[in-house]
Amino acid sequence: MTKPNDQDDDGVALTPEENRAVSERRSGSAKVVHEVIRIQGDDELNRPALSLLCSAFAAGVGISASVLAEAFLHQHLPDAQWTPLVTSFGYCVGFVIVILGNLQLFTENTITVVLPVAVKPSLHNFGRLGRLWSLAIVANLAGTFLVAAMLAHRMIVSQDQLDAAVAVSAKLLDNDAATTLLRGIPAGFLVASIAWILPNARGSEFWVVVMVTYVIAVGGFSHVVAGSGEAWLLWLTGKASFGWAVGGFIGPALAGNIIGGTGLFAVLAHGQVRDEIKTD
């Protein structure tokens, strides 16, 4: 017969089996989650350049499924006040593919690869961070450009589907650069929060990704990678200039995502445990 352990601070005696059951059901502490993400980030920082480029390019292609899904829903729904609430679910598709597929998405890296640098802020680590960020954003944008070009030339869609994709993308034109930057801050914060939540998701990863990215869509927030596909499409179909695509959306959205993901979420996430962790 298994003997109970000594009583804990609350006077509850548990057997070893019961203690294991409690541990399995208990969410990891902030310090544990921080370490899980730090290790993951350190692994990403050490990956070969070609691996990062291929993964990030695939992420750019994969996240373009968001534009397609939104367009297909928009094409078959009436013009009503509730329509955006439904079409916004399409926005989640690309993020599910990319995040659950462990592809290299720049905005996830505003926290994941930043924590190793926050723990050990050396020139070497800053150099590794700059290398990964540069490779990730360039390859992400190349992937979304490829899909946008295929859409614009109707290689994978019909004319009606292209018209729907342009109509869905045209909402970006409503914001100037300053507004896009400001709307990029909550988008960066929310995507970074996904990386923080997933270690404790325990089988609910799909719903975490859908819930958070749906908020980005219905809120009209600016995500640089997902939105770049729309910006490229507007340029390639003559609805906007190249200067607007790069300087009016991609640049401001990128800055906003970095502020929200690194400047806010990563700093806060690290700050809550910095006095509890030990470094060499």
Side-chain angles (χ1 to χ4, degrees):
M1 180 176 179
T2 303
K3 295 183 179 179
N5 291 336
D6 292 335
Q7 291 182 332
D8 62 18
D9 292 339
D10 293 325
V12 179
L14 298 175
T15 65
E17 291 81 3
E18 289 169 333
N19 275 319
R20 282 194 295 270
V22 169
S23 297
E24 290 171 0
R25 288 165 173 78
R26 186 175 57 193
S27 297
S29 66
K31 187 165 62 173
V32 170
V33 173
H34 182 285
E35 182 63 7
V36 169
I37 297 174
R38 187 199 64 79
I39 292 172
Q40 178 186 347
D42 200 55
D43 290 341
E44 293 296 322
L45 289 170
N46 288 328
R47 293 182 68 185
L50 182 59
S51 297
L52 292 172
L53 283 170
C54 289
S55 180
F57 183 80
V61 173
I63 207 165
S64 298
S66 292
V67 180
L68 289 171
E70 282 188 289
F72 297 157
L73 289 169
H74 177 83
Q75 182 185 8
H76 297 288
L77 290 172
D79 185 11
Q81 287 188 333
W82 53 264
T83 299
L85 297 177
V86 179
T87 58
S88 292
F89 278 111
Y91 187 82
C92 307
V93 174
F95 286 92
V96 170
I97 293 171
V98 171
I99 295 176
L100 298 188
N102 291 318
L103 299 177
Q104 198 69 232
L105 183 65
F106 174 82
T107 44
E108 269 197 296
N109 287 327
T110 56
I111 177 173
T112 306
V113 298
V114 168
L115 292 189
V117 180
V119 172
K120 294 184 179 180
S122 63
L123 287 176
H124 173 66
N125 277 342
F126 276 111
R128 292 198 300 161
L129 174 63
R131 165 183 169 272
L132 186 145
W133 270 9
S134 299
L135 293 174
I137 190 61
V138 169
N140 280 171
L141 295 179
T144 58
F145 179 82
L146 173 63
V147 176
M150 295 175 72
L151 288 174
H153 292 89
R154 289 182 293 165
M155 297 173 64
I156 56 175
V157 293
S158 66
Q159 183 61 53
D160 288 343
Q161 290 170 329
L162 172 59
D163 292 341
V166 172
V168 166
S169 303
K171 63 182 181 294
L172 299 185
L173 297 171
D174 295 336
N175 300 325
D176 58 20
T179 302
T180 297
L181 187 151
L182 292 173
R183 289 182 175 269
I185 294 174
F189 187 93
L190 288 168
V191 174
S193 74
I194 294 176
W196 188 264
I197 295 169
L198 287 183
N200 279 330
R202 299 188 179 185
S204 299
E205 292 86 353
F206 172 83
W207 297 111
V208 169
V209 175
V210 169
M211 177 187 68
V212 175
T213 55
Y214 181 73
V215 172
I216 296 174
V218 296
F221 300 136
S222 307
H223 185 273
V224 61
V225 183
S228 69
E230 297 174 315
W232 294 136
L233 182 61
L234 291 172
W235 168 50
L236 292 171
T237 55
K239 306 298 181 182
S241 66
F242 176 77
W244 173 86
V246 175
F249 179 80
I250 293 175
L254 175 63
N257 290 171
I258 292 174
I259 293 170
T262 297
L264 292 179
F265 198 95
V267 169
L268 293 173
H270 178 67
Q272 67 173 317
V273 300
R274 66 182 301 274
D275 294 330
E276 303 174 49
I277 58 179
K278 295 180 180 180
T279 59
D280 294 332

